[in-house]
């Protein structure tokens, strides 16, 4: 920045020199010309007056003594006039008049330079410097994630054999819901470093989300391969526990998450795992395996800054499809980033219509909780066989987006084919 301002000062200085140096030269020349004209005039006047005196002497109007005296007086006056530098008032007038133009040009130079810099230069950046402490200011989460992915993609393009860069890019793709690219990224890492459980686990997770959180033989095969290499791989066990929780196999979920805690690994969120195990234990110990029913003693929808209240009902057109033994699963997941369930509960279909509340006490475990996001998507599934995964004959309803702390009504109005 200092070099930049020095350059600007030099440019302005050169411009001022080009304006003022010619002015001073011209003033000096005019003064010299004026001095020459004055000398010539004085000489001509002296010659004219001397001629007159000589004529008067010849006509005997003056005697020799008078002639010599007057001639001497003329010579003295001539010497005095020749020794004078000129009329000071005239010099001041000339200078004051000729200095107006270069002064005007100087003001124009400074004004034009400032105007051009303000409109074409970096004046706005200097006047309003960017906030270096928050480079993502004004960006929403999706834009931040997109920027992060682009930076990682540029890095792997520059260093295609950097396995760690590919590994980080794979996880970024999962967060950005780009599951096919995530799978390809983890495959690339395995090409570079070989097949390892810590790579198979994230790949299985990407496959699971791509399949809309439904387990398949292909995904199970990847999970089995990972656990065969490392029975305590946290990424794989997290996936096993989450899927078991969704299918109401709470004992399996607890065992999977407990194995991660028992491994004493430092790269896992132990608090989130303990909360998830506590939530699964609560559901496991409830009568008839039901999740907490929040409909009792809640005649109206409530609202809290960290909860979502949902009034669940069945479409009149599909009311004949519902049996008292059916189970309704309700869960929330983030609208931005990975479509990970943040909170879930279930109630008996016989209690509908009902109002349920989702909060951190109904958390699914993991790093992200309901209270940590601003907006969620609500999905409800009325299951005929007790599975959270929609199957033929089940009913389904969704709320595309609701602010955390708000409330809404959800209607089971879609028959799964």
């Amino acid at each position: 920045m200092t070099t930049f301002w020095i350059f600007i000062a030099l440019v302005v200085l050169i411009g001022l020199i080009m304006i003022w140096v010619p002015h001073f030269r011209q003033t000096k020349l005019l003064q010299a010309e004026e001095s020459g004209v004055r000398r010539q005039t004085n000489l001509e006047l002296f010659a004219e007056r001397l001629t007159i005196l000589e004529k008067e002497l010849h006509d005997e109007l003056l005697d020799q003594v008078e002639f010599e005296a007057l001639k001497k007086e003329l010579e003295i006056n001539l010497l005095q006039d020749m020794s004078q530098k000129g009329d000071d008032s005239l010099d001041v007038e000339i200078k004051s008049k000729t200095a107006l133009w270069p002064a005007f040009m100087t003001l124009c130079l400074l004004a034009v330079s400032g105007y051009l810099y303000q409109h074409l230069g970096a004046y706005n950046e200097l006047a309003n410097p960017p906030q270096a402490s928050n480079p993502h200011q004004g960006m929403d989460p999706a834009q931040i994630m997109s920027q992060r992915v682009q930076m990682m993609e540029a890095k792997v393009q520059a260093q295609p054999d950097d396995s760690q860069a590919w590994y980080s890019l794979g996880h970024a793709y999962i967060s950005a819901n780009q599951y096919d690219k995530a799978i390809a990224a983890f495959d690339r890492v395995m090409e570079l470093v070989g097949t390892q459980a810590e790579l198979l686990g994230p790949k299985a997770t990407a496959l699971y989300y791509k399949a809309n959180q439904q387990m398949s033989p292909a995904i199970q095969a990847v999970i089995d391969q990972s656990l065969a290499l490392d029975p305590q791989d946290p990424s794989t066990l997290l996936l096993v526990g989450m899927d078991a929780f969704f299918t109401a196999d709470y004992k399996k979920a607890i065992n999977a998450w407990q194995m991660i805690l028992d491994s004493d690994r430092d790269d896992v969120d132990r608090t989130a795992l303990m909360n998830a195990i506590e939530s699964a234990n609560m559901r496991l110990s409830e009568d008839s395996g039901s999740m907490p029913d929040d409909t009792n003693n809640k005649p109206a929808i409530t609202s809290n800054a960290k909860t979502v209240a949902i009034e669940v009902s069945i479409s009149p057109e599909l009311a004949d499809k519902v049996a008292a033994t059916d189970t309704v699963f309700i869960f929330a997941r983030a609208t931005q980033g990975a479509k990970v369930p943040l909170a879930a509960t279930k109630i008996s279909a016989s209690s509908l219509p009902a109002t349920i509340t989702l909060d951190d006490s109904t958390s699914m475990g993991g790093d992200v909780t309901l209270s940590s996001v601003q907006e969620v998507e609500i999905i409800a599934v009325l299951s005929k066989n007790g599975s959270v995964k929609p199957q033929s004959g089940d009913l389904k309803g969704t709320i595309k987006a609701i602010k955390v702390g708000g409330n809404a009504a959800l209607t089971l109005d879609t028959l799964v084919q």
Side-chain angles (χ1 to χ4, degrees), residues 43-92:
L43 289 173
E44 290 177 355
L45 288 174
F46 174 79
E48 182 180 350
R49 290 175 183 177
L50 182 59
T51 301
I52 293 173
L53 290 177
E54 290 175 345
K55 186 176 183 301
E56 289 178 351
L57 178 63
H58 182 270
D59 294 338
E60 298 182 351
L61 296 176
L62 295 174
D63 57 22
Q64 187 67 34
V65 175
E66 291 176 333
F67 173 78
E68 293 295 336
L70 290 174
K71 180 179 178 182
K72 186 174 183 179
E73 182 180 353
L74 283 177
E75 291 175 345
I76 292 173
N77 289 335
L78 176 62
L79 290 174
Q80 290 177 346
D81 290 339
M82 296 293 285
S83 63
Q84 289 180 355
K85 295 182 178 179
D87 190 348
D88 292 339
S89 62
L90 181 60
D91 290 344
V92 172

Side-chain angles (χ1 to χ4, degrees), residues 5 45 47 69 85 101 116 158 191 208 251 265 267 305 343 350 379:
W5 286 114
L45 288 174
K85 295 182 178 179
W101 177 245
L116 292 176
E191 291 177 3
Y208 183 75
K251 188 64 177 176
R265 297 181 66 117
D267 56 346
S350 60
I379 300 175

Side-chain angles (χ1 to χ4, degrees), residues 75-215:
E75 291 175 345
I76 292 173
N77 289 335
L78 176 62
L79 290 174
Q80 290 177 346
D81 290 339
M82 296 293 285
S83 63
Q84 289 180 355
K85 295 182 178 179
D87 190 348
D88 292 339
S89 62
L90 181 60
D91 290 344
V92 172
E93 182 180 0
I94 293 173
K95 290 180 182 178
S96 62
K97 288 183 179 179
T98 56
L100 291 176
W101 177 245
F104 174 74
M105 292 182 64
T106 299
L107 293 176
C108 289
L109 173 65
L110 297 176
V112 171
S113 298
Y115 176 82
L116 292 176
Y117 178 70
Q118 183 176 5
H119 288 79
L120 303 178
Y123 172 79
N124 292 330
E125 285 73 9
L126 290 176
N128 302 294
Q131 299 295 326
S133 59
N134 187 9
H136 301 305
Q137 185 175 8
M139 300 175 64
D140 57 37
Q143 291 174 325
I144 294 174
M145 178 54 64
S146 177
Q147 185 182 69
R148 179 187 174 195
V149 169
Q150 290 176 1
M151 292 175 61
M152 291 184 174
E153 288 176 338
K155 183 175 181 180
V156 298
Q157 288 177 0
Q159 301 175 345
D161 294 333
D162 188 340
S163 59
Q164 186 60 45
W166 279 105
Y167 181 77
S168 300
L169 179 59
H171 282 286
Y173 279 142
I174 291 179
S175 299
N177 302 325
Q178 301 181 32
Y179 304 122
D180 287 330
K181 291 184 177 180
I183 296 167
F186 293 125
D187 285 339
R188 174 59 179 162
V189 179
M190 285 187 278
E191 291 177 3
L192 295 172
V193 301
T195 303
Q196 300 178 15
E198 61 179 341
L199 302 176
L200 291 171
K203 178 181 178 180
T205 302
L207 290 168
Y208 183 75
Y209 286 134
K210 180 184 177 182
N212 197 24
Q213 300 170 13
Q214 295 189 17
M215 190 62 67

Side-chain angles (χ1 to χ4, degrees), residues 136-384:
H136 301 305
Q137 185 175 8
M139 300 175 64
D140 57 37
Q143 291 174 325
I144 294 174
M145 178 54 64
S146 177
Q147 185 182 69
R148 179 187 174 195
V149 169
Q150 290 176 1
M151 292 175 61
M152 291 184 174
E153 288 176 338
K155 183 175 181 180
V156 298
Q157 288 177 0
Q159 301 175 345
D161 294 333
D162 188 340
S163 59
Q164 186 60 45
W166 279 105
Y167 181 77
S168 300
L169 179 59
H171 282 286
Y173 279 142
I174 291 179
S175 299
N177 302 325
Q178 301 181 32
Y179 304 122
D180 287 330
K181 291 184 177 180
I183 296 167
F186 293 125
D187 285 339
R188 174 59 179 162
V189 179
M190 285 187 278
E191 291 177 3
L192 295 172
V193 301
T195 303
Q196 300 178 15
E198 61 179 341
L199 302 176
L200 291 171
K203 178 181 178 180
T205 302
L207 290 168
Y208 183 75
Y209 286 134
K210 180 184 177 182
N212 197 24
Q213 300 170 13
Q214 295 189 17
M215 190 62 67
S216 68
I219 300 173
Q220 187 61 52
V222 177
I223 292 175
D224 293 341
Q225 183 183 6
S226 175
L227 294 178
L229 294 172
D230 183 0
Q232 294 184 324
D233 177 63
S235 59
T236 307
L237 291 175
L238 280 173
L239 175 59
V240 171
M242 182 172 60
D243 182 67
F245 194 96
F246 283 159
T247 57
D249 191 350
Y250 303 118
K251 188 64 177 176
K252 182 179 179 181
I254 293 170
N255 291 337
W257 292 332
Q258 188 63 48
M259 287 182 66
I260 301 175
L261 290 178
D262 294 341
S263 66
D264 294 328
R265 297 181 66 117
D266 297 330
D267 56 346
V268 296
D269 188 341
R270 304 182 68 83
T271 301
L273 283 170
M274 288 186 287
N275 290 338
I277 291 174
E278 182 181 356
S279 179
N281 273 320
M282 180 180 64
R283 287 156 176 74
L284 185 64
S285 62
E286 290 171 354
D287 294 337
S288 69
S290 297
M291 289 186 176
D293 186 348
D294 292 335
T295 61
N296 297 330
N297 301 320
K298 289 187 180 180
I301 296 178
T302 61
S303 177
N304 183 279
K306 296 183 179 181
T307 67
V308 176
I310 306 297
E311 184 178 5
V312 184
S313 61
I314 300 174
S315 171
E317 292 80 4
L318 299 176
D320 58 342
K321 305 288 185 181
V322 180
T325 57
D326 295 342
T327 301
V328 181
F329 296 91
I330 306 101
F331 59 94
R333 64 185 185 184
T335 57
Q336 299 288 342
K339 299 296 184 179
V340 180
L342 306 178
T345 188
K346 71 176 180 179
I347 59 175
S348 172
S350 60
S351 63
L352 294 177
T355 298
I356 61 96
T357 300
L358 298 175
D359 54 27
D360 287 349
S361 66
T362 57
S363 171
M364 298 295 296
D367 296 334
V368 184
T369 59
L370 184 70
S371 61
S372 66
V373 299
Q374 297 181 349
E375 189 178 67
V376 293
E377 176 187 14
I378 306 297
I379 300 175
V381 177
L382 186 146
S383 175
K384 296 290 185 179

Side-chain angles (χ1 to χ4, degrees), residues 313-323 382 384 393-396 410-417:
S313 61
I314 300 174
S315 171
E317 292 80 4
L318 299 176
D320 58 342
K321 305 288 185 181
V322 180
L382 186 146
K384 296 290 185 179
D394 292 347
L395 304 183
K396 185 178 180 181
L410 184 150
T411 303
L412 294 161
D413 55 4
T414 302
L415 179 64
V416 181
Q417 301 295 333

